[in-house]
Amino acid sequence: MKRIVGTVLSVALLASAAFAAKPVKYPTKGITVICPWGAGGGTDAVLRGICKAAEKELGKTITVENKTGGGGAIGHAAIKNAKKDGYTLGMITFELNSLPQQGLIDFTYADYDPLIRVNADAATLTVKADAPYNSVKEFVDYCKKNPGKVSIGNSAPGSVWHIGAGLLADKTGIVVKHVPFEGAAGAVTALAGGHIQAVSVSLAEVKSQLDAGNVKVIGIMDEKRPASYPNIKTFKEQGYDITYYTWRGLALPKGVDPAIKKILVDAFTKAEKDPEFVKMAGNMNLNLAYLNSEDFAKFLKTNYEDVTKTMKSLKLID
């Protein structure tokens, strides 16, 4: 009897292994990747770049779909609620870890299946080219002499750049107006047009206006100066101990076949190292900061906890 049971068990295990090893036919059609932010911003740029590289690996067209609104809430919800067949995924961003605490979304990072982290970028303090301040200290002094009169644009209430601007104001003791936009591109355009006085967004997002001579970066919240613009000083160099970053990564809705997930992870991991993508990221001053699925999942949890503490210290939440 024991021999029969053992034989049946062995057959069952072999059948199970054979089933598990059965290759999945994926992809057999085009893939959609959701971007929670508008065209022209840093998230849109890095996503389109890595998707173009991933198309070479997957052999299918990847379409980027911008679903904006709600400070990133609409796009992130669309990723979470997508059909669990692997043909719709998305780029999750810092805001996924700042919107729940404000009651703006009823889900968190735990509702996604992370693929890879793609990049992380430091915030800058960028002003109009003809602004009367050329350093962080001069900007701070100006704001203190004109409390509440300086407007800083960001990418929506509670977004990464709103919190960055809040951190700047808190650490330097200034009072400013925070002006929200649906994505950094709109804020930078408004700055170049003279409608606001500053933005607290990434270097990649101000690059085109910077190169055109319409704006100037008077500080970056990084540990070191950007390689492409060595004249841009860090906040630390200027006497302000402030470092602050955004991040972006790819994720699936929960429940997608692990075999499909693996194919996507492998494809986008190779895409992250694609020479054309690496060059594009370098040209745009996008700082690539790859993490695999497991490490990205750990990072999301830690980042959520850290962001919550920062938001409480800035009194953005109770």
Side-chain angles (χ1 to χ4, degrees):
M1 183 66 179
K2 287 182 179 179
R3 183 178 296 174
I4 294 172
V5 171
T7 301
V8 171
L9 181 60
S10 297
V11 171
L13 288 171
L14 286 170
S16 176
F19 179 77
K22 186 178 179 180
V24 61
K25 290 183 179 179
Y26 175 90
T28 59
K29 61 181 182 179
I31 297 167
T32 297
V33 183
I34 295 170
C35 178
W37 301 99
T43 303
D44 180 73
V46 73
L47 180 55
R48 289 180 188 278
I50 198 168
C51 284
K52 181 179 179 181
E55 285 181 334
K56 302 175 188 177
E57 305 299 328
L58 294 168
K60 296 294 179 182
T61 299
I62 301 177
T63 302
V64 173
E65 186 175 338
N66 299 88
K67 286 185 176 290
T68 64
I74 290 176
H76 281 98
I79 299 167
K80 181 184 76 73
N81 297 327
K83 194 173 180 180
K84 307 178 194 310
D85 59 2
Y87 286 97
T88 303
L89 56 144
M91 178 156 269
I92 58 175
T93 65
F94 175 98
E95 288 71 25
L96 180 59
N97 280 346
S98 65
L99 291 172
Q101 298 92 322
Q102 304 168 80
L104 298 176
I105 57 176
D106 60 359
F107 51 89
T108 71
Y109 68 91
D111 293 294
Y112 299 79
D113 196 355
L115 298 176
I116 66 169
R117 189 179 74 177
V118 178
N119 82 306
D121 291 315
T124 67
L125 177 56
T126 302
V127 300
K128 276 209 75 177
D130 59 358
Y133 21 76
N134 295 295
S135 68
V136 176
K137 184 180 185 306
E138 289 179 2
F139 178 81
V140 169
D141 289 344
Y142 182 90
C143 290
K144 286 183 176 179
K145 291 176 183 176
N146 300 275
K149 293 184 179 180
V150 174
S151 298
I152 300 183
N154 58 70
S155 51
S159 69
V160 58
W161 303 136
H162 181 205
I163 296 172
L167 183 65
L168 166 66
D170 182 66
K171 291 283 189 179
T172 59
I174 60 176
V175 177
V176 297
K177 293 179 183 176
H178 298 284
V179 182
F181 293 84
E182 282 297 342
V188 176
T189 300
L191 172 64
H195 304 294
I196 55 177
Q197 286 72 55
V199 292
S200 55
V201 302
S202 73
L203 184 57
E205 290 162 325
V206 299
K207 185 182 186 303
S208 61
Q209 295 288 358
L210 177 63
D211 291 345
N214 298 324
V215 303
K216 58 187 175 184
V217 178
I218 58 176
I220 188 165
M221 300 180 198
D222 207 342
E223 295 290 346
K224 59 183 181 180
R225 297 187 186 192
S228 300
Y229 297 91
N231 291 329
I232 296 177
K233 295 181 179 180
T234 67
F235 270 63
K236 285 189 174 183
E237 284 182 278
Q238 300 183 64
Y240 300 90
D241 189 13
I242 305 174
T243 55
Y244 186 74
Y245 306 83
T246 189
W247 56 263
R248 304 177 183 95
L250 294 162
L252 288 163
K254 284 275 190 180
V256 175
D257 186 336
I260 291 176
K261 176 185 175 180
K262 184 179 185 307
I263 291 170
L264 287 169
V265 168
D266 290 347
F268 280 102
T269 295
K270 290 176 182 176
E272 176 103 357
K273 301 172 185 176
D274 181 85
E276 288 185 21
F277 175 63
V278 172
K279 182 179 179 181
M280 182 219 81
N283 290 340
M284 295 188 65
N285 293 286
L286 292 163
N287 182 49
L288 299 183
Y290 174 85
L291 287 178
N292 62 31
S293 297
E294 294 75 18
D295 290 339
F296 188 25
K298 293 174 185 175
F299 167 83
L300 288 171
K301 181 177 184 298
T302 301
N303 183 250
Y304 180 84
E305 294 167 352
D306 290 344
V307 169
T308 301
K309 290 178 183 176
T310 300
M311 292 178 75
K312 285 181 177 178
S313 71
L314 296 175
K315 296 181 173 55
L316 292 173
I317 57 173
D318 295 327

